[in-house]
Amino acid sequence: MEYSIGIDIGGTKIAAALVSETGEIEALRTIRTPPEGRTAIISALREITGDLIREAALSLKQKPVGIGIGSAGQIDFENGRILSGTPNISDWNDVPLRQFLSGCSGLPVWVDNDVNVMTITEARLGAAKGHKNVICLALGTGVGGGVLADGKLLHGAWGGAGELGHVSVDMFGPLCNCGQRGCLETYASGSGVAARMRDAWAKYEDAPKTPAYREYREKGGRVTSEDVFRWMKEEDGDAASVVEQMLLALSVAIVGYVHTFNPTMIVLGGGLLRDGEWIRAGVAERIAHAGMTSMLRDVSIETATFGTESTLIGAAMQVWMYQTNADADSAATGK
Ligand SMILES: [Zn+2]
């Protein structure tokens, strides 16, 4: 059984582990993302990979076959470089991560966006196992996307393809932080759902006399998507219309992706789907009679099999996904 090193770089923590071809996690290391930024993060990554290489030699009697990294932000996939990372990590733009890590480890290194590697996890081991044409949507603070087309992850010119959260479903809709109006993210992300709830209340001349609004005022004007989903289940009318808007936005966007990419499955994941079977069911119901029948007929909507560990596992899976034929040949011949 081969192992590779998977690394998940997030705004608050970095997780790294030896991951087997079949997705088992061994020797998991988790550290707080160093707040000092670039230099401290790179030296932490060097230390952690060195540690995992030693661990593999000691307990598995082998050398990991490569290093795969998943990170939030925009990634130059061709060159293994972080172009712009998350605003939560200081000085984390234009970082040649492959160059740094392959230099110190002697191993091949792949770097990709966290939702792209989540797509790999779901397609190789999860809900979309066996499918070659898959769209993954991660609904969290924002909305991220990944596109598997003909068995390959779609990267575009340099790796920016699949920003599915920034496809507009309403050109007169709310302004998105990407600069466009009505992006899917403004309706179907955690921050978008909360913002639409505040919009729904702002349309009243007098403050609404509902328990939901009272709770919102008592919390000092703070609202989360969890609050909105709970109020919807408690039959608050404003929350219900915000949720309906979210499901409709998702359905319109998904019909667009289906027309564009002709997938057989849509996988919904991310924090909003944690207790989100009702979101999956709501979307499936709404797209059943939308779009071109021939295109939509056989598309299934599923929730992701993997949770928070999907970035770590998918990061590691990149190594087997992209190993060159030469490597595959030498592995096959044992040379
Ligand atoms: Zn946008």
Side-chain angles (χ1 to χ4, degrees), residues 166 176 178 183:
H166 296 282
C176 179
C178 77
C183 287

Side-chain angles (χ1 to χ4, degrees), residues 115-124 134 136 145-148 153:
V115 187
N116 277 351
V117 304
M118 165 194 163
T119 308
I120 299 176
T121 306
E122 291 298 328
R124 289 180 78 102
V134 178
C136 258
V147 179
L148 191 78
L153 209 52

Side-chain angles (χ1 to χ4, degrees), residues 30-245:
T30 308
I31 59 164
R32 190 173 65 104
T33 307
E36 305 86 346
R38 174 193 295 249
T39 315
I41 296 172
I42 287 164
S43 70
L45 290 174
R46 277 183 176 157
E47 200 173 308
I48 226 166
T49 50
D51 179 31
L52 289 171
I53 290 169
R54 281 190 298 276
E55 177 72 35
L58 206 68
S59 61
L60 304 167
K61 311 282 180 238
Q62 61 171 279
K63 191 176 170 187
V65 288
I67 300 173
I69 297 169
S71 169
Q74 298 203 296
I75 316 292
D76 172 353
F77 174 76
E78 281 295 310
N79 297 302
R81 178 186 283 265
I82 310 264
L83 291 181
S84 56
T86 134
N88 302 326
I89 308 180
S90 66
D91 191 21
W92 195 240
N93 296 317
D94 203 23
V95 185
L97 211 47
R98 170 182 293 156
Q99 198 184 315
F100 283 130
L101 281 184
S102 65
C104 69
S105 67
L107 294 173
V109 176
W110 285 271
V111 188
D112 207 345
N113 171 277
D114 51 358
V115 187
N116 277 351
V117 304
M118 165 194 163
T119 308
I120 299 176
T121 306
E122 291 298 328
R124 289 180 78 102
L125 307 166
K129 192 170 174 181
H131 289 251
K132 285 184 151 53
N133 292 280
V134 178
I135 306 285
C136 258
L137 280 177
L139 314 182
T141 313
V143 174
V147 179
L148 191 78
D150 300 329
K152 289 187 181 133
L153 209 52
L154 194 70
H155 282 107
W158 47 261
E163 282 290 1
L164 303 179
H166 296 282
V167 168
S168 178
V169 292
D170 180 0
M171 60 189 177
F172 307 109
L175 196 62
C176 179
N177 49 27
C178 77
Q180 190 169 234
R181 285 193 177 276
C183 287
L184 176 62
E185 181 165 300
T186 64
Y187 297 104
S189 64
S191 58
V193 167
R196 301 295 73 79
M197 190 70 230
R198 285 190 294 266
D199 285 356
W201 283 323
K203 72 176 189 279
Y204 291 108
E205 278 187 23
D206 300 314
K209 293 182 176 51
T210 58
Y213 188 78
R214 204 179 314 125
E215 185 187 327
Y216 167 68
R217 296 310 307 169
E218 281 165 9
K219 284 183 180 167
R222 274 197 302 273
V223 55
T224 65
S225 55
E226 286 91 353
D227 294 330
V228 178
F229 295 165
R230 177 168 46 82
W231 293 330
M232 178 269 297
K233 286 169 187 162
E234 291 164 5
E235 299 185 349
D236 179 86
D238 296 312
S241 64
V242 169
V243 169
E244 177 56 32
Q245 211 174 21

